[in-house]
Amino acid sequence: LADSVTGAGDATTFNSTEGVLYAEIAKRQEDNDNFILISLNNAASNSDANSVAIGFNNGTEFFIRIKANGGLVFLDSSTTANKNQFYKVALRYKSGDISAFIDGVNVASSTTAFSFGAILDNLSLDYNGNGTFPFFGKIKSVITFNTALTDAELQCLTTI
């Protein structure tokens, strides 16, 4: 049976200017041909136009992305993931200070400036809050932080 996230927060819980989306996740063998994502997004828009997402692509890589005002701000899909193996993944989003950590390693960073055009007020086990690319995988933990953690904190958080 699928799990869903309800009552997990709102605009007062999530910070639309900076924060961290963290999850300890695994991609199941049988889901290798599907994008499976966890995201912070804007519930009213039911789109990924303003969103922070982590998960896996439809191949063998992680999918870590930030979009603001419909434009791509940050994307990393170059790190390989083994099926049925748990990983600790964190994405720091802050204008000019973006970093993705997997199992204690900073796999990608960016100094791109951005601002979201809509508030982040929805945590969903999919790509945009309307069921597209649902997370059919394994989850041990999902945490959001409403401040941008330092590299040292992200390394500690994601180290196995």
Side-chain angles (χ1 to χ4, degrees):
L1 296 175
D3 288 329
S4 63
V5 178
T6 57
D10 56 23
T12 61
T13 305
F14 309 118
N15 189 335
S16 296
T17 57
E18 67 175 85
V20 173
L21 177 59
Y22 165 85
E24 187 171 358
I25 52 178
K27 185 173 190 176
R28 301 179 313 171
Q29 173 71 36
E30 57 269 27
D31 291 324
N32 198 42
D33 295 331
N34 300 310
F35 276 81
I36 55 174
L37 304 172
I38 299 168
S39 67
L40 282 174
N41 52 64
N42 178 264
S45 68
N46 272 332
S47 79
D48 69 331
N50 293 283
S51 63
V52 176
I54 59 176
F56 302 98
N57 68 13
N58 60 347
T60 58
E61 293 83 27
F62 287 92
F63 184 85
I64 303 169
R65 189 200 63 204
I66 299 171
K67 284 182 82 174
N69 303 312
L72 183 63
V73 173
F74 177 81
L75 174 66
D76 180 63
S77 61
S78 62
T79 304
T80 301
N82 296 319
K83 294 173 272 324
N84 296 316
Q85 178 179 337
F86 275 95
Y87 294 92
K88 294 181 178 185
V89 183
L91 174 57
R92 174 178 58 223
Y93 61 94
K94 181 178 179 182
S95 183
D97 186 15
I98 303 166
S99 287
F101 278 74
I102 301 172
D103 289 347
V105 177
N106 185 345
V107 297
S109 296
S110 173
T111 57
T112 301
F114 70 95
S115 65
F116 294 113
I119 59 170
L120 302 179
D121 62 358
N122 187 49
L123 173 65
S124 57
L125 298 179
D126 65 17
Y127 143 95
N128 60 0
N130 73 1
T132 304
F133 301 130
F135 191 92
F136 289 114
K138 300 175 184 178
I139 300 173
K140 286 188 179 179
S141 176
V142 175
I143 303 170
T144 62
F145 296 86
N146 63 3
T147 59
L149 302 179
T150 65
D151 284 354
E153 290 169 327
L154 290 172
Q155 182 179 23
C156 182
L157 177 67
T158 60
T159 297
I160 296 176

